[in-house]
């Protein structure tokens, strides 16, 4: 019996020594220590031994088992470590490969001039206000002092939804809404889409974009209007830009003016773009009419204000040298990629 145990130990040691992986070790463990294992069977068969020999043989089997289990565990630890190493090596990600380039879109030229314009006015303390594109006739015309017989009210010029509701023809109604909702001081710009009945051509579109602005406070003068708009023009078109104000007419401002900026193509010399005049008209402006202030519940004996309005599409065309307004709406990638 003792001989047999020694032989088994030697055999198991060799098997463990030549096992190649954790799977082989597991098979050895089952062979010797499993339910039907060799050593297990040996322990069971001890009943057949003479009583005197049992403790000695029992101790021998136990010691042999402990040695073999220790050996198995050591080998197992070595294999597990190696297998883990191999898995890590196989699953390693090569982070040195350059990432695939993502195709990013670009901002539309209208968005670009809008953001620049907005930021210039935000820098001067203005807020951005928005209003509905489908507007009451009252806010679009009546409260802006636009008389019943004014041509802009005509069916020929305006998209009516009912006789009281229409697609706004300018963003000035947002100024009315602001004055009704808020007491001075007011400093706001109102960007947005506006609609007029127009045939599509190189310079016209039935939908285009405006930014208008309004300042109302105590002691606001025409000097403030000129100062603010001059700062704006230089910030947008460059510091060498000169501005020029010409008398004009709007029902909701008095006095009213058009502002021209020196042509950025020829610098004021006169060229094809400015039709030889050296200047290009970019916006309407004026001191808010007293009856508009009054209609909005602002006392014109205490407060005064100025307003202005410009077409964004026109400004984008000027800033980027775009000859045809239709390009802004056609979504042609070859055009849009250039900004
Ligand atoms: N609302 C005018 C337009 O659409 C522009 C403007 C605004 C003129 C404010 C003067 C003052 O043409």
């Amino acid at each position: 019996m003792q001989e047999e145990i020694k032989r088994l130990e030697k055999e198991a040691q060799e098997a463990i020594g030549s096992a190649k992986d954790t799977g082989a070790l597991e098979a050895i463990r089952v062979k010797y220590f499993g339910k039907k294992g060799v050593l297990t069977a040996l322990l069971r068969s001890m009943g057949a031994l003479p009583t005197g020999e049992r403790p000695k043989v029992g101790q021998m089997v136990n010691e042999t088992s402990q040695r073999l289990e220790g050996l198995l565990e050591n080998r197992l630890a070595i294999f597990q470590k190696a297998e883990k190493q191999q898995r890590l090596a196989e699953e390693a990600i090569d982070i040195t490969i350059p990432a695939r380039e993502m195709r990013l879109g670009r901002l539309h030229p209208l968005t670009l001039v809008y953001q620049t314009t907005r930021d210039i006015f935000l820098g001067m303390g203005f807020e951005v206000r928005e209003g509905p594109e489908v507007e009451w006739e009252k806010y679009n015309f009546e409260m802006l002092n636009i008389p019943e017989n004014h041509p802009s009210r005509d069916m020929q010029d305006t998209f009516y939804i009912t006789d009281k509701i229409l697609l706004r023809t300018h963003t000035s109604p947002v100024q009315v809404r602001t004055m009704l909702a808020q007491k001075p001081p007011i400093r706001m710009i109102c960007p947005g889409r506006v609609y007029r009945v127009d045939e599509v051509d190189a310079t016209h579109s039935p939908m285009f974009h405006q930014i208008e602005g309004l300042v109302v406070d105590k002691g606001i003068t025409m000097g403030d209007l000129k100062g603010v708009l001059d700062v704006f023009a230089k910030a947008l078109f460059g510091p060498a830009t000169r501005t020029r104000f010409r008398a004009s007419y709007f029902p909701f401002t008095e006095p009213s003016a058009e502002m021209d900026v020196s042509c950025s193509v020829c610098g004021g010399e006169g060229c094809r773009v400015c039709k030889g005049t050296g200047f290009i008209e970019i916006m309407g402006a004026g001191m808010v009419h007293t009856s508009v202030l009054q209609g909005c519940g602002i006392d014109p004996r205490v407060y005064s204000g100025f307003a202005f309005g410009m077409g964004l599409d026109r400004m984008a065309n000027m800033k980027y040298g775009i000859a045809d307004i239709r390009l802004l709406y056609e979504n042609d990638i070859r055009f849009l990629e250039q900004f």
Side-chain angles (χ1 to χ4, degrees):
M1 186 96 185
Q2 275 143 308
E3 287 302 307
E4 171 67 0
I5 295 170
K6 278 190 187 139
R7 195 191 61 74
L8 276 178
E9 181 170 10
K10 196 152 174 270
E11 178 193 286
Q13 277 171 346
E14 275 164 18
I16 292 168
S18 56
K20 293 265 181 304
D21 54 27
T22 53
L25 286 178
E26 175 61 12
I28 294 166
R29 197 189 59 75
V30 171
K31 181 174 172 195
Y32 290 93
F33 300 108
K35 263 192 193 150
K36 293 176 187 157
V38 190
L39 282 166
T40 321
L42 211 65
L43 276 175
R44 256 191 227 125
S45 70
M46 283 210 336
L49 289 174
T51 332
E53 275 185 42
R54 276 184 213 162
K56 205 168 157 227
V57 175
Q59 197 191 353
M60 207 177 152
V61 173
N62 280 338
E63 283 171 4
T64 304
S65 299
Q66 268 168 22
R67 279 195 299 276
L68 289 177
E69 270 169 17
L71 219 55
L72 264 175
E73 245 156 63
N74 281 346
R75 290 291 281 174
L76 197 65
I78 290 166
F79 285 147
Q80 278 171 343
K81 201 172 161 198
E83 280 168 20
K84 187 173 169 191
Q85 222 82 57
Q86 190 187 352
R87 212 176 54 237
L88 285 177
E90 278 169 10
E91 291 174 2
I93 297 166
D94 182 357
I95 56 167
T96 64
I97 293 176
R100 225 169 281 165
E101 203 183 323
M102 256 207 282
R103 291 232 326 148
L104 280 184
R106 286 150 202 265
L107 292 177
H108 192 280
L110 278 173
T111 308
L112 290 171
V113 255
Y114 165 59
Q115 290 181 348
T116 313
T117 300
R118 175 199 62 194
D119 292 348
I120 295 168
F121 282 106
L122 287 181
M124 291 193 275
F126 284 66
E127 291 172 18
V128 178
R129 292 292 161 81
E130 288 182 33
E133 290 171 32
V134 178
E135 185 56 281
W136 297 106
E137 170 269 345
K138 185 176 164 192
Y139 293 149
N140 194 83
F141 291 133
E142 194 183 316
M143 295 191 70
L144 287 163
N145 207 26
I146 297 175
E148 206 69 64
N149 57 358
H150 193 277
S152 69
R153 286 202 177 219
D154 201 278
M155 295 286 276
Q156 303 284 326
D157 289 296
T158 300
F159 293 106
Y160 284 89
I161 292 180
T162 69
D163 56 356
K164 293 258 171 283
I165 299 173
L166 42 82
L167 295 181
R168 66 182 179 191
T169 60
H170 48 186
T171 59
S172 305
V174 186
Q175 306 183 345
V176 172
R177 287 170 175 274
T178 303
M179 286 190 280
L180 288 172
Q182 175 189 336
K183 293 298 132 217
I186 294 171
R187 255 184 256 130
M188 59 83 93
I189 54 168
C190 40
R193 293 195 183 89
V194 301
Y195 303 83
R196 294 180 195 175
V197 180
D198 262 324
E199 290 293 340
V200 177
D201 66 23
T203 55
H204 292 87
S205 162
M207 184 282 299
F208 59 101
H209 302 77
Q210 276 192 332
I211 290 195
E212 296 205 353
L214 172 72
V215 172
V216 183
D217 204 351
K218 287 180 181 152
I220 298 293
T221 70
M222 195 83 185
D224 297 306
L225 178 159
K226 290 176 79 172
V228 165
L229 296 182
D230 189 71
V231 165
F232 160 72
K234 287 181 165 60
L236 184 66
F237 295 111
T241 308
R242 282 167 295 132
T243 54
R244 181 172 84 176
F245 292 82
R246 287 178 289 110
S248 182
Y249 172 78
F250 298 101
F252 35 88
T253 48
E254 181 59 37
S256 304
E258 301 286 348
M259 182 173 90
D260 302 337
V261 293
S262 53
C263 177
S264 54
V265 176
C266 62
E269 301 268 305
C271 68
R272 224 164 40 99
V273 174
C274 57
K275 300 192 182 85
T277 64
F279 280 89
I280 295 174
E281 177 191 316
I282 66 161
M283 69 169 105
M287 301 305 291
V288 183
H289 200 293
T290 48
S291 56
V292 173
L293 290 176
Q294 212 149 26
C296 293
I298 295 173
D299 187 346
R301 287 165 306 183
V302 181
Y303 294 104
S304 55
F306 68 84
F308 54 91
M310 61 193 128
L312 257 194
D313 311 69
R314 166 62 106 61
M315 309 253 290
N317 288 3
M318 269 177 70
K319 189 157 171 64
Y320 298 111
I322 301 164
D324 192 323
I325 192 176
R326 286 170 288 199
L327 287 167
L328 294 174
Y329 306 123
E330 282 169 354
N331 284 338
D332 187 330
I333 290 283
R334 292 166 302 177
F335 169 74
L336 296 172
E337 263 175 355
Q338 300 174 42
F339 301 94

